[in-house]
Amino acid sequence: MSPVRRCSRTACGRPAVATLTYVYADSTAVLGPLATYAEPHCYDLCAEHSERLTAPRGWEVVRLADSSAPSRPSGDDLEALANAVREAARPQDRAPRQGGGNARGADPMEVARRGHLRVLRSPDS
């Protein structure tokens, strides 16, 4: 037997991607992500059959979002990412260190600094 579950529709051999269950008391068909285990009163459907699913007249179809599928980033997510990149690229203002002398730090070899990177003077000069 194949480890991949197949669509429950007759003569369809495509792999299942969703599980259909019925709530008879509420006249509702619930289509959600593929269940972990095959249950006796649930129907596994392929992508094509799950998209084309209709319910009998008077019934409601509830389609649950697949939380395991990668979601597309929203505008807020992209804006937050852009703001974080801008903040990281902004030069940091450093207060002059006490004690006078070298404002760049105790290392006399240090010429410049950008973020966590340092430019060092050549030992030959």
Side-chain angles (χ1 to χ4, degrees):
M1 177 151 195
S2 172
V4 177
R5 292 182 6 214
R6 300 288 175 192
C7 183
S8 298
R9 295 290 302 258
T10 306
C12 181
R14 291 185 287 261
V17 296
T19 298
L20 172 67
T21 57
Y22 292 103
V23 181
Y24 292 99
D26 297 333
S27 300
T28 304
V30 180
L31 183 67
L34 188 62
T36 307
Y37 301 104
E39 299 288 335
H41 297 290
C42 295
Y43 302 93
D44 295 336
L45 298 176
C46 65
E48 181 181 345
H49 286 122
S50 64
E51 289 173 9
R52 295 186 347 193
L53 175 74
T54 59
R57 187 173 301 158
W59 282 58
E60 181 182 0
V61 176
V62 175
R63 296 178 187 269
L64 302 176
D66 183 5
S67 61
S68 66
S71 61
R72 296 188 51 97
S74 69
D76 291 340
D77 293 339
L78 294 176
E79 185 177 354
L81 179 62
N83 289 338
V85 169
R86 281 188 208 106
E87 183 67 28
R90 184 175 297 141
Q92 297 177 357
D93 294 331
R94 297 180 193 259
R97 296 188 183 191
Q98 298 297 330
N102 190 357
R104 298 203 185 277
D107 189 359
M109 296 296 289
E110 184 176 330
V111 176
R113 179 181 286 263
R114 172 124 188 180
H116 68 282
L117 302 175
R118 298 186 308 162
V119 177
L120 300 178
R121 184 171 298 138
S122 172
D124 299 335
S125 60

